Amino acid sequence: MANAEHSVRGSATTDTRTGRARIALWLVAAVLALRQTVAVLGQPPGERFPDLETWLGDNGVLRAGGPLYEDGGFTGTPFAGLVLTPLTHAAEQTLGVAWTLGTLLLVAGVGVVAARALPGPVSRRSSLLAAPVAISLLMLSLPVRNSFHLGQTSIIPVLLVLLGCFAVRGERASGALIGLAAALQPTVLLFAPLLWFTGRRRAAAGSVLTFAVCSALAWAALPGDSRTYWLDHAAGAGLGSHSDGLANQSLHGMLLRFGLEGPLEIALYLVLAAAVTWFGLRRAVHCARDGQLLLAVALTGCVAVAVAPTTWQHQTLWLLLAVVGRVGKRERDRMLWPFLTVAAVTLPAKMLLPNLSVMAPIRENAVLLMAVAAACAVPFLDRSSPHFRQPVPTVYVTPAPSRWSRVPLLPFWRRVVSRPNLLLELIAIRVGYSIYSQIRLAATAGVDEARAHGRQINAIEQAIGIDIEHWFNHVVVDSAWLESFFNFYYTSFHFPVPLLILGLLFVRSPGDYRWARSALAFATLLALVGFWLYPLAPPRLMPGMGFVDTVHGTVDLANPDFGAMTAVTNQYAAMPSLHFGWSLWCGVVVVMLAPKLWMKALGLLHPLITFAVIVGTANHWILDAVGGAAVVAAGFGLTHLLAGPRRVILPQDTAPAAGGPDTAAAPTAPVLVPAAREPEPEPGARTADTPGAAAQGVTAPGVAAQGGKAPGVTARGAKESAAPQ
């Protein structure tokens, strides 16, 4: 009876939390939809929907009565032109309101249908939360945002295909919807082979027949335009301006960007398109037979993205649907593919990859490469795999008792000491820093306000007697070797030292890597608040105070847009100083984790030199460094509040007795060790990657007690092995 009562209470609590989460997610989706609507309708009527205006405006090709493709403004099929022509009057009367609301309904329809088509087994919680999550991701994606902004119709074919595959009953209706979608976007006809080879042959034949009928109607009504589209331009190839532009994310566009043209480019394009079609459709058919029809639809759509002559950004929505595929046997690797997919579809490529010339081919074709990878290479799991529903669980450990007994630890942050997925970490760091840079650049203010804050800081320092910036700046200027050293240190050590420390921790001490990385992230986020709320002119940008900018040289302070750096970074983001803050973080981490005294001393030397450098080069006030120290302290404090102290408790299952390996093992007490190394499993012990570990109640990889200590763990906790996983 007690167990039954506990089960009922647990179920009720879970349902309550799920209900609250569902309401919150629907509110997020509504806010995103409202934001998108306001962004579109907030534009003047003449500036809304530039593509739609090209078609339906006063001088639009659909109203002028001339050829559709005469000026290259219209890139749709003749059937699309035939269907859109009656909408001219309605679009003109409603000033885009009806078009915007209709697009919202289309997006909601795609999200709801996709959420209901998730490959099973699906938990009740996932089924309840899937729709608002899907709609939110769609609202954030670049294809949907471009469709709203440009007034495009690319969402309609996606919704028609989803309705044909998952919503309507009967193969005849399914084929009609998919054929109608193909008449609007010819590459959708690739779904016919998918239907045929998965046993829905009537639907496949119906889709081809519907496509042929719609195209024939358009040919009868618009013979000249149909001839131009299908014969002169080979199904739209070459329509629109700049087929070699970055917006054309197709194999044809990529080859043009590589400088290929003429018969060689066409031949290579046909070979690549045939290969992608062959491998992609084979994988899609396999996924459909495996019961993952939504993934099969997404992969077929990715093939269409790659092989179409022109695939504009608003047509790449198929890639987002591929997020439903499951990749990775371990739970810690399971989020890599969804993160990469969502990032590729929602963020500009320049935020995903650094602006280096060697990365340009990948950065310029990021969406295309993701679509080709999804269609042909990504190792999606079959439903028959034992890891499809239950991946190898991540090992969570218990924080050590906190000295701050009155500060309750928040329960939702679970500590992990195993090594995280490297690629996921790199992408997350890159995206996080890109977002940080964008917010920092956007946190601009008036020059007068920033200089007024500079005078406030200077007055405070004078009041407490620490205003040594001017004196020290001129000491540096009068010493050529010191000025050269300070300039070199300022420009060379800000990024490499933190990255080096993070890299070493990732390899040698995964648990400490997570702890240190979280503290650094919190400190950086808090610094953004300071940049936004308190724009501050550094000493070098304060006119009349006699400071010399040793790093950037002489600038025209009378011109607010001085210097090339103004277009790259916000030069008034000085309080707090992350130059000093990041160096202080490095010093704290090295002092806490380095095994040698000389290493600790070297770690302390870095923030001390950085403090002297930022003051001596007139890039920061002394109080900026105080602010940097404050956000770093707050970052470590938040990490402690969420996850507890750095040390963790590694509970032990059993340990071999002294009598030999066959002797019965006796339970041992939990061992308190620093999270400084990833423990190496003992022979025969269960590890984090052993599926049975969770069932046995093991929460950390093999740590056995020997005389009250874990094997390989000294009193200082620095001997654990970092065995790669």
Side-chain angles (χ1 to χ4, degrees):
M1 178 68 69
N3 291 336
E5 183 179 355
H6 176 75
S7 176
V8 171
R9 289 179 180 176
S11 177
T13 302
T14 302
D15 290 344
T16 301
R17 292 177 179 175
T18 302
R20 292 174 180 174
R22 189 184 188 193
I23 293 174
L25 289 173
W26 276 115
L27 288 176
V28 170
V31 169
L32 292 174
L34 180 62
R35 177 182 177 274
Q36 195 64 257
T37 303
V38 171
V40 172
L41 298 182
Q43 298 290 330
E47 298 180 9
R48 300 173 188 168
F49 316 120
D51 280 7
L52 192 64
E53 183 70 17
T54 302
W55 306 341
L56 309 179
D58 293 336
N59 299 318
V61 295
L62 299 182
R63 294 192 60 182
L68 292 178
Y69 309 106
E70 184 175 19
D71 60 354
F74 186 73
T75 59
T77 63
F79 179 77
L82 189 66
V83 172
L84 287 174
T85 301
L87 300 177
T88 56
H89 185 64
E92 181 180 312
Q93 284 188 334
T94 61
L95 299 178
V97 175
W99 190 275
T100 302
L101 295 179
T103 305
L104 284 175
L105 292 177
L106 292 175
V107 174
V110 170
V112 171
V113 175
R116 293 183 176 181
L118 291 176
V122 179
S123 65
R124 182 173 179 271
R125 180 182 180 185
S126 298
S127 62
L128 290 175
L129 302 182
V133 170
I135 295 175
S136 298
L137 290 178
L138 287 169
M139 288 295 176
L140 290 172
S141 67
L142 292 175
V144 169
R145 285 154 55 190
N146 281 339
S147 296
F148 271 101
H149 172 68
L150 299 175
Q152 281 287 350
T153 60
S154 57
I155 301 176
I156 297 176
V158 177
L159 180 58
L160 289 176
V161 170
L162 292 179
L163 291 175
C165 291
F166 302 106
V168 300
R169 295 182 178 180
E171 294 191 17
R172 185 173 300 175
S174 176
L177 289 175
I178 295 175
L180 183 60
L184 296 172
Q185 199 174 98
T187 50
V188 173
L189 204 60
L190 287 170
F191 284 91
L194 175 66
L195 296 173
W196 182 273
F197 289 110
T198 54
R200 303 179 66 180
R201 298 191 174 184
R202 288 187 178 180
S207 64
V208 175
L209 179 62
T210 303
F211 167 76
V213 170
C214 292
S215 299
L217 289 175
W219 196 293
L222 304 169
D225 293 322
S226 297
R227 186 179 300 106
T228 300
Y229 182 86
W230 293 110
L231 301 180
D232 297 344
H233 286 282
L239 287 177
S241 58
H242 308 297
S243 294
D244 59 345
L246 297 181
N248 183 11
Q249 289 292 305
S250 68
L251 290 171
H252 178 55
M254 180 187 69
L255 294 176
L256 291 176
R257 285 190 290 275
F258 284 162
L260 299 176
E261 58 184 11
L264 176 61
E265 186 273 330
I266 295 175
L268 186 57
Y269 161 67
L270 292 177
V271 170
L272 292 177
V276 172
T277 302
W278 172 261
F279 289 106
L281 290 182
R282 281 176 60 90
R283 281 164 53 88
V285 170
H286 174 78
C287 291
R289 291 174 176 172
D290 188 53
Q292 301 185 67
L293 183 56
L294 181 58
L295 179 58
V297 168
L299 298 188
T300 306
C302 289
V303 173
V305 168
V307 304
T310 53
T311 300
W312 307 118
Q313 193 175 53
H314 54 268
Q315 298 172 336
T316 58
L317 191 57
W318 298 108
L319 178 58
L320 185 59
L321 299 180
V323 75
V324 300
R326 302 187 185 184
V327 182
K329 298 180 180 180
R330 301 178 182 181
E331 190 177 45
R332 69 182 186 183
D333 300 328
R334 188 57 63 87
M335 289 304 297
L336 175 61
W337 171 247
F339 185 88
L340 287 175
T341 305
V342 172
V345 179
T346 59
L347 298 176
K350 63 182 180 180
M351 295 184 66
L352 300 176
L353 296 168
N355 189 21
L356 301 175
S357 58
V358 69
M359 303 295 294
I362 300 176
R363 186 174 59 251
E364 294 174 354
N365 305 286
V367 175
L368 169 64
L369 295 178
M370 285 290 295
V372 173
C376 303
V378 177
F380 296 109
L381 292 177
D382 293 340
R383 294 176 66 212
S384 58
S385 170
H387 302 291
F388 182 84
R389 187 173 183 179
Q390 294 182 342
V392 176
T394 301
V395 176
Y396 297 100
V397 296
T398 305
S402 173
R403 295 182 180 178
W404 302 349
S405 58
R406 296 184 180 181
V407 179
L409 302 181
L410 301 185
F412 59 82
W413 190 295
R414 296 186 292 175
R415 287 292 295 273
V416 182
V417 294
S418 61
R419 185 173 291 109
N421 184 284
L422 177 59
L423 183 56
L424 182 58
E425 284 294 302
L426 292 176
I427 296 294
I429 290 174
R430 170 62 191 175
V431 171
Y433 182 74
S434 298
I435 295 174
Y436 156 78
S437 300
Q438 294 294 325
I439 296 177
R440 175 188 168 116
L441 187 61
T444 56
V447 177
D448 294 337
E449 181 183 0
R451 289 175 179 173
H453 289 161
R455 288 188 289 271
Q456 288 179 1
I457 294 295
N458 187 44
I460 294 173
E461 292 186 353
Q462 287 179 355
I464 59 180
I466 61 171
D467 56 325
I468 63 170
E469 290 91 348
H470 185 274
W471 165 79
F472 190 53
N473 175 236
H474 283 270
V475 169
V476 173
V477 171
D478 293 337
S479 176
W481 72 268
L482 191 59
E483 179 181 353
S484 299
F485 172 72
F486 275 22
N487 292 346
F488 172 75
Y489 206 94
Y490 183 86
T491 57
S492 302
F493 287 86
H494 181 45
F495 292 104
V497 175
L499 291 176
L500 176 62
I501 291 176
L502 287 174
L504 290 175
L505 290 179
F506 181 88
V507 174
R508 297 182 58 82
S509 184
D512 286 328
Y513 166 80
R514 294 176 181 270
W515 163 79
R517 177 253 283 148
S518 299
L520 182 63
F522 284 132
T524 305
L525 289 175
L526 292 173
L528 285 176
V529 178
F531 300 157
W532 196 279
L533 298 180
Y534 197 79
L536 174 64
R540 64 185 178 86
L541 299 183
M542 293 295 293
M545 288 192 174
F547 288 99
V548 178
D549 187 349
T550 65
V551 177
H552 307 93
T554 304
V555 295
D556 180 12
L557 297 180
N559 179 12
D561 298 326
F562 55 81
M565 289 297 295
T566 302
V568 178
T569 183
N570 177 12
Q571 300 197 66
Y572 297 124
M575 171 63 82
S577 169
L578 280 187
H579 240 92
F580 178 74
W582 286 4
S583 68
L584 181 62
W585 172 88
C586 295
V588 171
V589 171
V590 171
V591 167
M592 293 188 66
L593 302 181
K596 304 292 185 180
L597 183 60
W598 67 268
M599 296 179 182
K600 298 178 185 291
L602 194 62
L604 283 177
L605 192 60
H606 178 53
L608 294 177
I609 295 178
T610 301
F611 175 76
V613 166
I614 63 174
V615 175
T617 58
N619 276 280
H620 283 285
W621 306 93
I622 290 178
L623 289 182
D624 295 348
V626 175
V631 296
V632 169
F636 281 110
L638 283 173
T639 304
H640 181 99
L641 179 65
L642 292 171
R646 186 177 65 87
R647 296 184 304 168
V648 295
I649 297 176
L650 300 179
Q652 180 51 46
D653 183 15
T654 56
D662 297 331
T663 308
T668 60
V671 180
L672 186 65
V673 298
R677 298 289 186 270
E678 187 171 15
E680 181 178 2
E682 289 292 309
R686 295 188 181 273
T687 67
D689 296 330
T690 304
Q696 296 289 336
V698 179
T699 56
V703 179
Q706 292 181 354
K709 297 181 181 179
V713 180
T714 66
R716 296 175 62 180
K719 294 293 185 182
E720 296 90 347
S721 172
Q725 296 189 11

